[in-house]
Each structure stands twice: as C-alpha cells, then as structure tokens.
C-alpha cells in the first residue's frame, strides 16, 4: 500500500487535499469574513461533531471581534411529509438581531441545513450565512448553498479534518477520499 494511502475499517483512502492547502484556504476565508463582518461581532455556530476542527481553525484566522458557540443537531420523526425533523441542541444564546455564521463540515444533499435553518430564522437573527469546509454540488437535493466554501469536491466519500467514516478518521490532518484501488487486502 503506498504511504499516501490509509485503511479505515474496511475501506482504503488516498490523500486528496493536503493540510497545507487546507490551511491556506481557511486563512483566505478568514480574511474574507473579517472584511465582510468588520464591526458586526458575528456569532459563529459550529455544528458538531464534524465541524469542530474547521470551526476552530477558521475562528483563529479572524482578525475581527467574533463569538463562537456549538450545537448538535438531533433528528426525530416528525409529522412533516419529508420525514425526520432536525432540531438544535445547545443553542442557548439569544440570537435576536445577531449576525450568524453557521459552520459545517460538508454540505452534501443539503438536508441537514435545510431542516435546521427555519428553526434558526424563527429566532429573529439579523442575518444568517453558512461557511462550509466542503461542498458536494452534484449531491445537492435541497435548496441550500453555502456562502463561504473551503473546497467544492466531486460526489465521493471523504474523511479527515473532522469528517469521519463510522466514527474514525476525524483526527487526520489531511483530507482523504475513497480509493479506486481495491480495498481487498491481498
Ligand atoms: P447533508 O444533510 O446531506 O448535507 O449531509 C451533511 C452531513 O452528512 C455532514 O455534516 C456529514 O456529517 C455527512 N457527510 C456527507 N458527506 C460526507 C463525506 O463524504 N464524508 C463524511 N461525512 C459526510
């Protein structure tokens, strides 16, 4: 197995985006947000678990006053026709008239955020934007687009930099993608 490849559970992954490239891009987004939100004291809301690394790196790249808080999203069977209802746990802050930046690890189908955004908007924030480390535009099924995107990637499964495969892989500093090389161990 080449050294750039790793095995997690039953799957092999190969390196996709290096930690150097990731750091460069996060610094760029940090500068952009610092310019856009100067004097507005935005409140970052990190969606756990996946975004904890992206949120903390991005937060340290800001040169403006800003606050941060974390939530967990839980889904339960609701009465809506499209299945599960997603609700936020841990959103204790008063977000009335606050400028909110939601930080996500990845927007895939968009289901998670499109279910959670109405709950957030009910609390009357001044504005809501989304910063997502990754976006898979080809996978989108719901009408939600991040405003700040680290990288647009193809519709493939990735791990590392906070993202997991069945709970493992979050601690990898680089981003890895499922390998086309057979995962059968010879
Ligand atoms: P969505 O609701 O379909 O947009 O999915 C969002 C969630 O699915 C993310 O917050 C991740 O936890 C998970 N997810 C989607 N794609 C991947 C991936 O490629 N690797 C790891 N987790 C993923």
């Amino acid at each position: 197995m080449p050294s750039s490849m790793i095995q997690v559970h039953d799957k092999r992954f190969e390196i996709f985006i290096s930690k150097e490239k990731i750091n460069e891009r996060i610094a760029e987004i940090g500068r952009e947000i610092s310019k856009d939100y100067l004097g507005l004291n935005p409140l970052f809301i990190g969606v756990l678990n996946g975004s904890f690394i992206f949120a903390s790196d991005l937060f340290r790249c800001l040169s403006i006053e800003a606050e941060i808080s974390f939530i967990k999203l839980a889904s339960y069977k609701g009465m809506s026709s499209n299945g599960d209802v997603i609700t936020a746990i841990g959103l204790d802050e008063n977000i009335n008239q606050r400028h909110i930046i939601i930080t996500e690890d990845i927007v895939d189908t968009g289901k998670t955020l499109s279910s959670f955004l109405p709950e957030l908007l009910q609390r009357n924030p001044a504005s809501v934007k989304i910063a997502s480390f990754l976006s898979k535009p080809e996978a989108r099924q719901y009408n939600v687009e991040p405003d700040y995107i680290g990288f647009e990637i193809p519709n493939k499964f990735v791990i590392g930099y906070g993202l997991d495969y069945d709970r493992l892989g979050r601690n990898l500093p680089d981003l890895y993608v499922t390998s086309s090389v057979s995962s059968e161990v010879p």
Side-chain angles (χ1 to χ4, degrees):
M1 183 156 74
S3 62
S4 61
M5 288 183 71
I6 53 164
Q7 175 120 11
V8 176
H9 296 302
D10 58 334
K11 282 193 184 8
R12 280 189 181 174
F13 292 85
E14 58 195 53
I15 203 148
F16 186 45
I17 305 176
S18 70
K19 56 179 181 288
E20 290 79 16
K21 278 224 172 76
I22 293 174
N23 292 344
E24 255 173 51
R25 182 68 192 125
I26 307 288
E28 270 174 22
I29 301 177
R31 283 195 290 273
E32 209 180 324
I33 291 180
S34 300
K35 207 170 81 197
D36 295 349
Y37 285 84
L38 181 64
L40 297 178
N41 185 17
L43 172 63
F44 283 73
I45 298 181
V47 181
L48 295 172
N49 294 325
S51 83
F52 76 111
I53 292 179
F54 172 57
S56 69
D57 279 354
L58 178 62
F59 200 63
R60 283 178 293 178
C61 287
L62 300 173
S63 57
I64 56 169
E65 275 190 353
E67 297 173 29
I68 190 162
S69 187
F70 287 89
I71 57 165
K72 251 196 147 154
L73 296 180
S75 66
Y76 61 92
K77 295 269 173 242
M79 302 212 294
S80 70
S81 53
N82 64 347
D84 294 355
V85 175
I86 294 176
T87 189
I89 300 172
L91 187 52
D92 308 324
E93 257 87 354
N94 179 3
I95 64 164
N96 186 39
Q97 290 309 310
R98 295 295 310 267
H99 293 280
I100 306 296
I101 302 175
I102 300 172
T103 60
E104 258 287 25
D105 53 354
I106 185 164
V107 179
D108 184 22
T109 64
K111 181 174 195 253
T112 312
L113 283 182
S114 72
S115 327
F116 163 60
L117 282 173
E119 180 180 335
L120 199 69
L121 291 170
Q122 269 180 6
R123 298 183 186 215
N124 208 27
S127 67
V128 177
K129 286 202 174 175
I130 300 162
S132 186
F133 171 51
L134 301 172
S135 173
K136 288 183 190 169
E138 292 159 19
R140 203 78 82 248
Q141 291 172 24
Y142 296 80
N143 187 19
V144 48
E145 284 310 318
D147 302 279
Y148 302 95
I149 299 173
F151 301 92
E152 285 199 341
I153 62 166
N155 194 6
K156 291 189 172 167
F157 194 77
V158 290
I159 58 166
Y161 199 72
L163 292 107
D164 73 311
Y165 169 44
D166 198 11
R167 295 169 181 264
L168 291 181
R170 293 194 199 275
N171 55 316
L172 297 163
D174 307 278
L175 190 73
Y176 288 77
V177 66
T178 36
S179 171
S180 44
V181 177
S182 162
S183 62
E184 297 295 315
V185 180

